[in-house]
Amino acid sequence: DTEVTQTPKHLVMGMTNKKSLKCEQHMGHRAMYWYKQKAKKPPELMFVYSYEKLSINESVPSRFSPECPNSSLLNLHLHALQPEDSALYLCASSQPASGRRKREQYFGPGTRLTVT
Amino acid sequence: TQLLEQSPQFLSIQEGENLTVYCNSSSVFSSLQWYRQEPGEGPVLLVTVVTGGEVKKLKRLTFQFGDARKDSSLHITAAQPGDTGLYLCAGHTGTASKLTFGTGTRLQVTL
């Protein structure tokens, strides 16, 4: 099973709203990722969790707040977003970086976020 | 900054034609993945290559990793409309978790 699930599929929110994106994987992976993807561009890394600890924050604004409650779940809390934050938000998982272990990342279907 | 440049950026071909997509960098990658992404969906992993000179085949798709592990190519034989999508190469340098994505190649296959 190489499935990563994300909810919701679509989200429309106002600039004063608070919402959360959810991601789940059952592949036993211990690294999880959030990416942001604008139209016709490659995904841009936002955060990396390794063994449930935040290991990389790509200078993401604090209006995006990640959380990893356990090894299978990853959340992205959103607050006071701007219209330019509208994008496809992708979650991925992999084995964590260690020696020659395969680090293939498997992506979820994404959440299409529109900020009005 | 490691960059992965893909060419061409956009390719429109007819069903049955062959094509090659290139992924080039000045950096050495310990592994390289190819993904296909359809509009509004997440990237789907096609293949991982790890050894310089490695060639992998997936039905009509042939993937090659350069001898120096700085470049890769994807060749599609007899393209079909179902091959339409955004093709992304992405690589790991060293043992880092971070995946560097290529600039993407948008493929359109028409009947």
Side-chain angles (χ1 to χ4, degrees):
Chain A
D1 183 9
T2 56
E3 187 175 311
V4 177
T5 59
Q6 288 186 245
T7 55
K9 179 74 172 170
H10 301 277
L11 179 62
V12 180
M13 60 185 290
M15 290 189 284
T16 58
N17 290 162
K18 282 185 181 182
K19 297 286 185 183
S20 296
L21 309 185
K22 297 186 183 301
C23 174
E24 188 168 8
Q25 58 88 14
H26 293 288
M27 293 180 277
H29 289 163
R30 301 302 298 275
M32 296 186 76
Y33 311 77
W34 280 116
Y35 288 86
K36 173 183 177 180
Q37 187 178 26
K38 295 287 234 182
K40 300 183 180 180
K41 297 287 187 183
E44 297 173 25
L45 183 66
M46 299 175 72
F47 303 103
V48 180
Y49 273 84
S50 183
Y51 296 99
E52 295 88 69
K53 291 191 184 336
L54 184 65
S55 61
I56 296 177
N57 176 342
E58 291 286 290
S59 302
V60 179
S62 60
R63 58 185 183 269
F64 295 92
S65 175
E67 178 196 19
C68 191
N70 61 52
S71 60
S72 300
L73 293 173
L74 186 66
N75 298 322
L76 186 62
H77 303 297
L78 314 172
H79 174 53
L81 294 193
Q82 304 296 312
E84 59 264 29
D85 296 321
S86 298
L88 182 67
Y89 287 83
L90 295 163
C91 172
S93 72
S94 76
Q95 295 292 3
S98 176
R100 296 177 65 83
R101 185 188 296 167
K102 272 191 172 180
R103 291 166 287 157
E104 297 163 328
Q105 290 189 20
Y106 293 89
F107 285 82
T111 293
R112 171 69 60 190
L113 174 68
T114 303
V115 182
T116 61
Chain B
T1 304
Q2 296 99 17
L3 291 174
L4 274 169
E5 294 286 340
Q6 286 184 237
S7 61
Q9 284 187 308
F10 180 75
L11 195 53
S12 181
I13 62 173
Q14 290 194 313
E15 184 179 20
E17 292 185 38
N18 301 333
L19 66 118
T20 302
V21 177
Y22 299 93
C23 173
N24 294 297
S25 175
S26 57
S27 301
V28 175
F29 288 89
S30 54
S31 71
L32 195 133
Q33 285 88 52
W34 282 93
Y35 293 87
R36 179 171 64 224
Q37 184 178 23
E38 299 190 23
E41 298 293 329
V44 174
L45 181 66
L46 298 174
V47 78
T48 298
V49 286
V50 297
T51 305
E54 183 175 5
V55 176
K56 280 193 173 179
K57 292 194 174 185
L58 184 67
K59 297 183 181 178
R60 294 175 294 100
L61 279 58
T62 301
F63 304 87
Q64 187 162 4
F65 202 13
D67 291 341
R69 291 184 288 133
K70 292 183 179 181
D71 56 86
S72 182
S73 64
L74 158 60
H75 182 78
I76 301 179
T77 303
Q80 298 177 358
D83 296 326
T84 293
L86 176 67
Y87 287 81
L88 293 161
C89 64
H92 284 106
T93 54
T95 58
S97 295
K98 191 172 176 178
L99 194 59
T100 300
F101 276 90
T103 47
T105 294
R106 193 164 297 277
L107 172 65
Q108 185 172 61
V109 183
T110 55
L111 291 171

